[in-house]
Amino acid sequence: MRYYEQLLSGYSKLGKRVNDLSRIGTLLNALGDPQKKLRFVHIAGTNGKGSCAQMTADMLKSAGYKTGLFTSPYILRYNDRIRINGVDISDDELDDAARAVGDAVERLHGCGFSQFEITQAIAFEYFAKEKCDIVVLEAGLGGKLDSTNVIDPPIISLICSVSFDHTAILGDTIEQIAEQKAGIIKRGSKAVILAPQNPPQAERIVAKSAERCGCRLIIPDIS
């Protein structure tokens, strides 16, 4: 068994329930805050965010940027969640980044992390070490309290489709779910919503979030 597999096996898929982003923030701080060395395009939504993330990464790579891509879940193997310029992280690179994360976790005495948080920390450590120009970051669950939202304002926050998913956690109305997805919008960045794929109430919530943050909201014409 590889080291990264041993590390992940010690944590559950969800970890302990969170009410804020302090847990992932503590882990990344123990790593030296690799996320602060990176620029991001942050993507949230119910459906389509994985495809959107892949297409965005491909465009950035074609434009000449060294582009990291973090997605979930994996398609064929764990490594394909963490990619640079279309190439999966290797097992050896995974082990190297995982050892750094494992050392940080040991100093923190566990703290009830989830497998997703451990994987995210591994990805950020790897992307920072490889000096990526930009990272396309797919949110996991929701947005506002998703561990990926620990980043500083991204270049762009992109909301794909909003519909009913994980209602026990995100809420049982479109408005509540949209509020969670729109939580990735931050002051100092731009926001994009794919309006034709979204109900009007979701678009209104995203627009209000962008206005509250003083962000320009871009609604692409994809008709």
Side-chain angles (χ1 to χ4, degrees):
M1 181 182 288
R2 305 288 308 209
Y3 177 81
Y4 74 88
E5 294 173 314
Q6 295 177 34
L7 179 64
L8 287 166
S9 69
Y11 298 91
S12 66
K13 288 186 177 180
L14 294 179
K16 296 179 181 178
R17 190 178 180 91
V18 297
N19 297 307
D20 56 38
L21 298 172
S22 59
R23 190 170 73 192
I24 183 63
T26 298
L27 176 54
L28 293 174
N29 184 256
L31 273 174
D33 286 318
Q35 79 281 5
K36 294 186 180 296
K37 303 170 187 175
L38 300 165
R39 298 192 300 161
F40 295 91
V41 172
H42 201 185
I43 300 176
T46 303
N47 295 302
K49 62 183 186 291
S51 298
C52 189
Q54 182 65 64
M55 288 186 284
T56 301
D58 288 344
M59 287 187 288
L60 289 167
K61 175 191 171 188
S62 296
Y65 294 99
K66 187 173 185 179
T67 305
L69 175 63
F70 178 75
T71 56
S72 62
Y74 65 82
I75 305 301
L76 297 176
R77 61 178 189 146
Y78 180 83
N79 308 53
D80 66 36
R81 300 181 62 172
I82 304 170
R83 315 184 87 198
I84 293 179
N85 285 351
V87 179
D88 296 354
I89 186 173
S90 70
D91 285 337
D92 288 341
E93 290 167 328
L94 256 175
D95 276 347
D96 288 344
R99 285 191 180 93
V101 173
D103 289 344
V105 167
E106 188 172 337
R107 293 194 298 273
L108 295 170
H109 307 291
C111 293
F113 299 111
S114 67
Q115 288 184 0
F116 186 89
E117 289 167 326
I118 296 294
T119 299
Q120 178 186 325
I122 289 171
F124 285 5
E125 176 72 12
Y126 174 60
F127 293 144
K129 180 182 177 183
E130 293 298 316
K131 296 180 170 60
C132 286
D133 297 315
I134 192 164
V135 172
V136 179
L137 181 64
E138 179 190 352
L141 177 60
K144 184 178 181 179
L145 292 178
D146 186 75
S147 63
T148 60
N149 207 29
V150 73
I151 62 172
D152 289 333
I155 300 169
I156 291 176
S157 301
L158 172 59
I159 312 296
C160 297
S161 70
V162 177
S163 58
F164 292 102
D165 69 310
H166 299 287
T167 53
I169 297 173
L170 302 181
D172 56 8
T173 69
I174 288 294
E175 289 85 354
Q176 289 173 327
I177 295 170
E179 188 73 38
Q180 290 296 317
K181 308 291 185 185
I184 68 169
I185 298 173
K186 294 184 175 71
R187 188 172 297 277
S189 65
K190 295 181 176 64
V192 177
I193 182 172
L194 302 183
Q197 300 179 18
N198 280 292
Q201 60 268 44
E203 186 179 343
R204 286 195 296 270
I205 293 293
V206 172
K208 286 181 181 178
S209 295
E211 182 180 8
R212 195 162 52 239
C213 293
C215 295
R216 178 189 174 195
L217 179 62
I218 301 167
I219 304 177
D221 182 3
I222 57 175
S223 57

